Each structure stands twice: as structure tokens, then as C-alpha cells.
Amino acid sequence: MNQPLERLVEAFRSLPGVGFKTAQRFAYHILKLSSEEVKDFAESIISAKKLIKFCKECGNYTDKEICNVCSSRQAKIICVVAEPKDVEVMEKVKFFRGVYHVLNGTICPLENRGPNDLRIKELLARINKYCTEEVIVATNPDVEGDATAMYIARLLKPLGVKVTRIAQGVSMGTDLEYADEITLTRALESRTEL
Amino acid sequence: MNQPLERLVEAFRSLPGVGFKTAQRFAYHILKLSSEEVKDFAESIISAKKLIKFCKECGNYTDKEICNVCSSRQAKIICVVAEPKDVEVMEKVKFFRGVYHVLNGTICPLENRGPNDLRIKELLARINKYCTEEVIVATNPDVEGDATAMYIARLLKPLGVKVTRIAQGVSMGTDLEYADEITLTRALESRTEL
């Protein structure tokens, strides 16, 4: 392989989940495009990095000072998520109409990530500023996500803020036979009256 | 999603086999890189397209006039392949030490691709110029690959050039139970004496 091609394959290999074969396929695809198309492709990468910054309120990616969600909705209810991509997921649901707060990670002692590495201070400041009534913690239902939720709950409850967590139970369409025990336990614990 | 991010996701979606979720993961990965790294990534795309051209001899991608293979080996035996990526695959084997000839496709009447769309004329010119003794056709073992091989054989045999095709049979490690009938038929037809 010639050197510029090798460099291109290496670049694509750095993307998450991309191995050598896939990177090679991407590279050959790029070489088949017109010069215009390739310039456009590279431009979209450069300009995304240049234009996108963090929203001063919620910490999500935006190309403005304050993102569209924060500038158009009230902060009476704040939904706390771990990563910017989680905002995307929650927004798709169209059920929640409050604002978000991106923590930029979860508490993970194994990877040396404590509460001070997350945007907790900023969350407190927002709650104070907007007299937020409820904080919904929508971190992933795993050990780290649960620990982070617990930490936030202990921190905020003394301030008189209602802290809730998205429910855990069996997913829609699941065959009970294939549900794991922890999920079933949580589904039983949080059973609702009909 | 903001507009520069949307554009980036769309760019990644144009890559082969990449859906919305994967494109989004790539985009978020890019945003987490440093500005330097992003510039480097985009640069590798631009420079690959700018520097890589087709070898004047074999038609493979190269950053020189004549690729490394063509400039260092004799053209007594030419291995004909459909795409540049096939050269990469054959070279990995380290068994073949002749040169290659990239056709840029295969004969495919359904997609309106005939012999005139392939680099057949260039192949004839090379055979003449270098008094090539053997042409090994290494197109894929499918209908189009076989048709292309057949066409090349009929064209070259009258010129006194030996035309061969890579053998078809059961792959190493295959369980015969799972081999398809055509493969088994070919393996029987081409059986070798022990």
C-alpha cells in the first residue's frame, strides 16, 4: 500500500469499532469520489470541530452560545444525562419537554472518575438560578449509572429538590424468558397497580 | 442536532455500510478529538485524494507514476484482478511475484458493463510490450468474474498467451457438510492426483 493510502486507512481505523478491513473499504470509497466530494467530506469534519462548542447552560454540543433546548424551554425540570448523545436519544422520545444537563461521564472509581470530574457544580448552579423543582437522572441502568444517580440524589435532596430516576423494568416486546434476573427483580420491585 | 453536527453525521453516513447510529458514533468521536487531531484526520483524506493516482502500467492506486510492484518486477506473468483492493489481497499471500493488472470492474450485462468499460486494451498493450507468457485471471469466483475470465481467455489464447484461472474448490478448514453444491462440483472437476 502506498503511504498516503496507508495514512488514510490508519485515520479511519482510529474511529470507534472500525477494523483494518472496514477502514480499507472506507479509504477505497474515498478514492472513488470526485475531488469536490472529498473536499466537502473533509470540510464537514473540520467545520464541525470548529463550529461546535458546549452549551453554556447544559453542556451539550451546540453551534450557538446557548443551545436550542436551553434557550426555548424552562428549567423547572432538568433531565441529567451522562453524554451529549443521550440528549439526542431522549429528544427522540418527544415525551420530555424540560431541559437537559450533560454530566460528561459517570462516577467510576475503577477509571479514577469521581464527582469532581463531572459537571455537578454547574448542575447545582442551574438549580439555584432557575429554582428547579425536579431532577430526573437518566444515566444508564448499570453500576456506574446507578452510583452517579445515587450521588446526585444524596446531594440534591437536602436542598428540597425532587430527584427521580427513569424506571427500570422489562423492555417493551421482551420475551420474559430472556430477561435477566436483575431486570426482573427491578421490574418486580417497581411493579405498578393496575 | 445542530447543523454542523448533522452535516458531519451525513458525511459519515455516505461511507459504505455505515448507518445513522454508527455515523453518529463517528461524529461524536471526532468532536472529542483535539483540534490538531481533527485537522490531521481531515488532512489525511484530502492528501490521499490529491496524491493518489492510477499506476500508468497496472492501473492500481499509487502515489508515483509507476507503482512499486510494476517498477520492481518483470511482467512475464500478469495477474488480472477486478479492483485495486484485490491487489492488496493477493500481495498478502506472498506466493505470487509477478505484476498485476487492474480491470476496474467485471463484465456485467445487467449493469451495462461490457469489455470496453474495462482496462482490456491496456492489458493487450502490456502483453505486447513485455512479451508476457502467462496471464492469471484472479477475478471473483462468481458469474461476473467467470464471464470476465472467459472473455479474456478467448481474447488472449489466439495470441499464444497462456491464460489460467485461480483454482476453485473447497476452502481450507471448510466442513464439507456446509460447502455448497457448485463449489463441490468444481472441487471434483478440478481434483488433483496424489
Side-chain angles (χ1 to χ4, degrees), chain A residues 4-5 7-8 11-12 27 30-31 33-46, chain B residues 7 38-53:
Chain A
L5 186 57
R7 186 180 161 204
L8 182 57
F12 280 129
I30 290 289
L31 291 177
L33 296 177
S34 72
S35 294
E36 265 316 295
E37 289 169 318
V38 172
K39 231 181 95 183
D40 207 57
F41 190 97
E43 243 296 296
S44 71
I45 295 170
I46 295 275
Chain B
R7 187 181 161 204
V38 171
K39 232 181 96 182
D40 206 58
F41 190 96
E43 243 296 296
S44 71
I45 295 171
I46 295 274
S47 76
K49 182 65 188 175
K50 204 159 63 186
L51 298 174
I52 298 174
K53 45 205 168 194

Side-chain angles (χ1 to χ4, degrees), chain B residues 13-32:
Chain B
R13 268 190 83 173
S14 72
L15 294 173
V18 174
F20 182 77
K21 286 245 173 187
T22 307
Q24 212 180 13
R25 211 164 76 223
F26 289 173
Y28 282 119
H29 173 83
I30 291 288
L31 291 178
K32 280 198 172 173

